[in-house]
């Protein structure tokens, strides 16, 4: 007798009996026994069992362990009442010395060998299908009555002893409008693999496993969920290729609070009109996924001084670089050829002061031909082999619509600026490379995304507005604050359990608080003062020999100092500056705050 219909409503023990009698003509168990857990099965010699259990715990996303049997135990009372693992899967695979040597309908003929073998029952994605359907999301493999698509990836699992392999994943197409609902439906079902590990365009002696899709059906309902640290949110971080990231609502709110704090307008220049909510979060999510980052800064606004750079930009760039270094990402800085010696001195002092762990490669860019930018960004100019995943410009002079570069007073400074904008324009043509612009006036590189608001609300905006867009635009009252916020937001993301799991592809172990080596790299009040003072001494030593320039800027300094005091006074300050420094904020008077922050922007 053949049974092919109504299987999704049958109870698990009935299905197991039908499978045991070999009375099914279907090829997989997807959609069967709705609402009950299904399990992958691995049967190994008892001498390998301890290492395999460690392998499961080290990769609990792809290998969520439901039960480990005793040697020779064919039953599994913790998962089912009347089961026999030798007969209760639709089909098995046999492995000899690590190679698949055949498929079997039953393991009864191996009963003698099984007496020395241990069975591992591992969670299965079929178990979350009902929850996904309840969320209003179609499951294509269920609708088409076929097995789910499975792929071998290039992502290595965490190795334990002899057990090592690349991650194998299932792929399910989800409408973009339903992505967050799919993550919410699966994130708590850790024993069914949990939330997705990627959203977007998309390696022993005798052993046995189930055949793909032919799961062991348990008696356990999918109602015993475990929290993964908050409610997840889904955010798009790239359009080419399409790529989404996941973060907890709590972490996202902290970063949005940072965005609000840095958005105050101490100079009353109309910066509030340039802000685009959520840009800091999306920029930092993209950075969190990046492996190699290129940073640029430098705004030569003081034409009468040598060197002409202002102090806003380099401290924020150093804060970002220090955090990226601590997160073990590759970092380089590109700047104007004429400013290489200045930036080298700032870099050396930052290393001496402990702000940076080690020197960062310092690069310059000059246009030689039409392919110069592509050759700079990619190996041999090949867009398929980019050297950097993300470009950041912070307080970097940006090219206006007429091809010139202007400071806030509408003075053309093109003769002082190398065409680093070309790198951001070229990045738009390289799949997988994203860009961020940080600015406080609209004439900075990357602010082309808000150029209409700049022209309308910023003094001289119709002339000075940068015409070059970045994927993400972080607007701050002072650009350095944007750099500090990016560094802190990256720490918030890496401390978020949901985001960390997504970054790890659910393989390996999450880092314990004691292993979070990036925490010392967080910006602090002390570091902010040291960076600013160091940069000012290197850039404009004459300001330290004559009080006149400082006194002439005193009103602006006090505005910055007052804004800084306001940030420190808020409860959210702990997200921007490390707590041990915030405790001493009462000892910092306004003069001490504003003197080391001479952000010379006028």
């Amino acid at each position: 007798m053949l049974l092919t219909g109504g299987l999704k409503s049958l109870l698990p023990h009935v299905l197991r009996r039908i499978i045991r009698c070999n009375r099914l003509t279907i090829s997989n168990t997807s959609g069967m026994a709705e609402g009950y857990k299904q399990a992958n099965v691995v049967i190994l010699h008892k001498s390998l069992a301890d290492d395999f259990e460690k392998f499961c715990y080290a990769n609990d996303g792809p290998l969520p362990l439901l039960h480990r049997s005793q040697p020779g135990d064919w039953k599994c009372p913790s998962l089912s009442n009347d089961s026999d693992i030798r007969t209760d899967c639709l089909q098995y695979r046999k492995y000899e010395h690590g190679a698949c040597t055949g498929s079997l309908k039953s393991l009864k003929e191996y009963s003698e060998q099984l007496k020395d073998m241990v069975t591992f029952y591992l969670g299965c994605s079929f178990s979350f299908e009902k929850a996904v359907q309840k969320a209003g999301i179609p499951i294509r493999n269920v609708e088409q009555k076929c097995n789910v698509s499975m792929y071998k990836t290039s992502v290595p699992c965490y190795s334990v002893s002899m057990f090592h392999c690349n991650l194998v994943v299932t792929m399910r197409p989800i409408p973009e409008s339903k992505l967050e609902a799919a993550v919410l439906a699966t994130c708590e079902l850790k024993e069914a693999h949990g939330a997705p590990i990627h959203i977007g365009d998309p390696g022993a002696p005798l052993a046995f496993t189930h055949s793909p899709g032919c799961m062991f059906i348990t008696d356990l309902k999918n109602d015993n969920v475990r929290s993964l640290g908050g409610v997840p949110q889904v955010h798009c971080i790239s359009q080419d290729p399409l790529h989404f990231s996941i973060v907890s609502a709590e972490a996202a709110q902290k970063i949005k609070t940072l965005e609000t704090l840095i958005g105050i307008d101490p100079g009353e220049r109309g910066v509030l009109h340039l802000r685009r909510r959520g840009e800091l979060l999306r920029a930092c999510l993209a950075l969190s996924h990046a492996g190699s980052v290129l940073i640029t800064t430098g705004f030569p606004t003081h034409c009468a001084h040598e060197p002409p750079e202002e102090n806003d930009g380099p401290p924020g760039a150093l804060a970002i670089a220090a955090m990226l270094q601590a997160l073990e990402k590759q970092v380089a800085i590109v700047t104007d050829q004429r400013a290489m010696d200045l930036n080298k001195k700032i870099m050396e002092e930052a290393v001496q002061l402990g702000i940076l762990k080690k020197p960062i490669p310092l690069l310059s860019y000059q246009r030689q031909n039409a392919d110069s930018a592509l050759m700079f960004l990619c190996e041999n100019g090949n867009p398929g082999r980019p050297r950097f995943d993300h470009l950041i410009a912070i307080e970097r002079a940006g090219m206006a619509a007429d091809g010139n570069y202007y400071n806030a007073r509408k003075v053309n400074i093109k003769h002082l600026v190398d065409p680093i904008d070309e790198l951001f324009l070229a990045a738009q043509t390289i799949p997988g490379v994203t860009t961020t612009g940080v600015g406080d006036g609209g004439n900075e590189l990357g602010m082309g995304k808000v150029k209409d608001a700049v022209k309308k609300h910023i003094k001289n905006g119709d002339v000075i507005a940068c015409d070059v867009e970045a994927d993400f635009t972080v607007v701050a009252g002072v650009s350095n604050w944007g750099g500090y916020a990016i560094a802190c937001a990256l720490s918030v993301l890496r401390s978020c359990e949901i985001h960390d799991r997504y970054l790890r592809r659910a393989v390996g172990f999450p880092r314990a608080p004691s292993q979070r080596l990036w925490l010392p790299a967080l910006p602090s009040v002390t570091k902010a003062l040291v960076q600013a003072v160091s940069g000012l001494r290197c850039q404009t030593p004459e300001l330290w020999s004559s009080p006149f320039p400082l006194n002439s800027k005193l009103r602006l300094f006090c505005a910055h100092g007052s804004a800084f005091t306001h940030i420190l006074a808020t409860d959210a300050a702990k997200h921007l500056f490390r707590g041990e420094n915030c405790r001493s904020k009462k000892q910092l008077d306004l003069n001490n705050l504003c003197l080391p922050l001479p952000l010379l922007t006028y």
Side-chain angles (χ1 to χ4, degrees):
M1 179 180 178
L2 301 177
L3 297 175
T4 57
L7 296 175
K8 69 178 183 179
S9 60
L10 290 181
L11 292 175
H13 73 277
V14 176
L15 276 170
R16 288 195 300 272
R17 289 175 187 172
I18 295 171
I19 292 171
R20 195 177 304 158
C21 296
N22 196 22
R23 297 165 68 185
L24 290 177
T25 59
I26 60 175
S27 61
N28 65 84
T29 57
S30 177
M32 291 188 183
E34 281 189 342
Y36 288 89
K37 291 181 181 178
Q38 298 193 33
N40 300 282
V41 175
V42 176
I43 307 174
L44 299 165
H45 192 270
K46 61 185 180 183
S47 63
L48 304 175
D50 287 347
D51 283 341
F52 187 73
E53 182 174 4
K54 294 175 184 176
F55 185 61
C56 292
Y57 286 132
N59 301 280
D60 64 353
L63 300 170
L65 184 56
L66 303 180
H67 179 75
R68 169 186 169 170
S69 78
Q70 293 298 316
D73 188 357
W74 303 325
K75 301 188 181 300
C76 184
S78 66
L79 300 180
S80 57
N81 290 323
D82 62 344
S83 62
D84 185 336
I85 198 55
R86 299 174 300 171
T87 58
D88 289 1
C89 290
L90 275 174
Q91 193 174 63
Y92 302 85
R93 281 189 172 179
K94 178 184 175 183
Y95 291 82
E96 295 179 278
H97 304 288
C100 181
T101 57
S103 297
L104 306 163
K105 284 290 188 179
S106 170
L107 299 180
K108 275 196 168 183
E109 63 181 290
Y110 294 94
S111 295
E112 192 63 32
Q113 292 95 322
L114 288 170
K115 290 179 180 178
D116 289 325
M117 302 183 79
V118 174
T119 303
F120 289 85
Y121 300 81
L122 308 169
C124 168
S125 65
F126 288 173
S127 302
F128 65 51
E129 290 177 340
K130 183 62 176 177
V132 173
Q133 288 174 320
K134 282 185 177 179
I137 301 166
I139 302 293
R140 183 177 294 178
N141 60 288
V142 174
E143 293 176 341
Q144 296 181 348
K145 298 180 181 179
C146 62
N147 207 352
V148 67
S149 301
M150 289 170 257
Y151 297 91
K152 295 179 180 179
T153 74
S154 59
V155 178
C157 289
Y158 188 93
S159 299
V160 175
S161 187
M162 68 177 294
F163 294 104
H164 57 90
C165 65
N166 284 354
L167 183 65
V168 176
V169 299
T170 60
M171 187 280 288
R172 290 173 168 82
I174 305 291
E176 185 171 338
S177 62
K178 298 284 188 179
L179 286 176
E180 194 155 295
V183 173
L184 287 169
T186 57
C187 68
E188 300 287 359
L189 300 175
K190 188 173 181 180
E191 293 182 342
H193 299 308
I197 55 98
H198 181 81
I199 303 174
D201 293 339
L206 182 65
F208 302 97
T209 71
H210 66 289
S211 285
C214 300
M215 307 304 175
F216 175 81
I217 301 173
T218 77
D219 292 338
L220 301 183
K221 298 276 285 186
N222 278 317
D223 53 8
N224 52 333
V225 299
R226 290 159 51 188
S227 173
L228 274 178
V231 177
Q233 294 181 353
V234 178
H235 296 273
C236 184
I237 59 173
S238 172
Q239 290 293 338
D240 182 19
L242 189 62
H243 189 193
F244 296 80
S245 189
I246 300 177
V247 65
S248 72
E250 180 184 7
Q253 184 54 51
K254 288 180 180 179
I255 295 172
K256 289 175 182 176
T257 300
L258 277 173
E259 188 174 54
T260 300
L261 286 173
I262 65 172
I264 58 178
D265 187 3
E268 298 180 353
R269 294 180 291 166
V271 170
L272 293 177
H273 298 287
L274 311 186
R275 289 172 53 193
R276 302 188 66 159
R277 296 189 184 278
E279 292 285 281
L280 177 63
L281 174 60
R282 288 187 287 273
C284 291
L285 284 170
L287 272 170
S288 185
H289 285 269
S292 180
V293 180
L294 180 68
I295 302 173
T296 184
T297 189
F299 207 124
T301 191
H302 302 288
C303 301
H305 294 282
E306 180 56 40
E309 269 72 22
E310 63 174 323
N311 191 242
D312 192 16
L318 288 178
I320 297 171
M323 179 55 67
L324 292 173
Q325 271 192 343
L327 293 175
E328 300 179 338
K329 300 180 185 295
Q330 298 296 316
V331 191
I333 291 179
V334 60
T335 190
D336 301 298
Q337 180 63 46
R338 56 162 188 79
M340 290 288 283
D341 289 342
L342 167 65
N343 281 276
K344 183 178 179 181
K345 291 178 183 177
I346 294 175
M347 188 93 61
E348 290 173 349
E349 189 162 352
V351 173
Q352 292 172 3
L353 294 170
I355 294 170
L356 294 175
K357 292 193 301 183
K358 59 182 180 180
I360 294 172
L362 195 60
L363 312 173
S364 66
Y365 169 77
Q366 299 292 326
R367 178 185 174 89
Q368 303 294 331
N369 53 55
D371 296 326
S372 293
L374 206 58
M375 292 294 293
F376 184 95
L377 293 175
C378 305
E379 294 183 21
N380 299 318
N382 180 2
R385 303 186 66 183
R387 294 189 175 94
F388 307 100
D389 305 312
H390 197 102
L391 279 60
I392 305 176
I394 174 169
E395 192 62 24
R396 169 71 194 177
M399 184 172 62
D402 62 3
N404 292 314
Y405 298 81
Y406 297 95
N407 65 14
R409 298 184 300 277
K410 207 164 57 173
V411 176
N412 190 346
I413 55 173
K414 183 176 182 178
H415 61 291
L416 298 172
V417 180
D418 290 346
I420 291 173
D421 304 65
E422 293 181 2
L423 302 180
F424 280 67
L425 292 171
Q428 296 173 7
T429 69
I430 305 173
V433 177
T434 48
T435 57
T436 294
V438 183
D440 58 16
N443 55 345
E444 300 89 0
L445 177 53
M447 293 292 114
K449 193 171 182 178
V450 293
K451 62 184 177 183
D452 290 340
V454 174
K455 293 175 181 179
K456 182 176 180 180
H457 298 287
I458 301 297
K459 183 179 179 181
N460 300 323
D462 56 328
V463 174
I464 70 172
C466 176
D467 199 52
V468 180
E469 295 188 15
D471 293 310
F472 312 104
T473 301
V474 177
V475 178
V478 176
S479 293
N480 277 339
W481 298 354
Y484 302 148
I486 287 173
C488 294
L490 287 172
S491 176
V492 169
L493 289 176
R494 192 53 66 93
S495 301
C496 170
E497 183 180 353
I498 289 174
H499 183 67
D500 177 67
R501 177 187 182 277
Y502 189 72
L503 277 183
R504 292 185 290 109
R505 302 287 194 265
V507 299
F509 297 101
R511 295 200 185 196
S514 61
Q515 297 174 313
R516 293 175 180 173
L517 303 180
W518 62 87
L519 292 178
L522 275 170
S524 65
V525 174
T526 302
K527 286 184 180 178
L529 305 186
V530 168
Q531 289 167 354
V533 171
S534 172
L536 185 63
R537 284 174 174 159
C538 289
Q539 290 171 240
T540 51
E542 69 276 9
L543 292 185
W544 294 90
S545 60
S546 170
F548 176 75
L550 286 177
N551 290 336
S552 68
K553 300 293 182 180
L554 185 58
R555 183 187 63 80
L556 185 59
F557 292 169
C558 290
H560 288 306
S562 177
F564 233 70
T565 303
H566 173 72
I567 290 175
L568 292 174
T570 64
D571 292 336
K574 60 186 177 183
H575 304 315
L576 188 56
F577 296 104
R578 283 192 289 153
E580 62 267 27
N581 295 302
C582 292
R583 286 196 293 270
S584 63
K585 62 181 180 289
K586 293 182 179 178
Q587 302 172 14
L588 298 170
D589 62 29
L590 187 59
N591 290 326
N592 285 334
L593 277 172
C594 58
L595 179 59
L597 292 169
L599 309 172
L600 309 179
T601 56
Y602 292 92

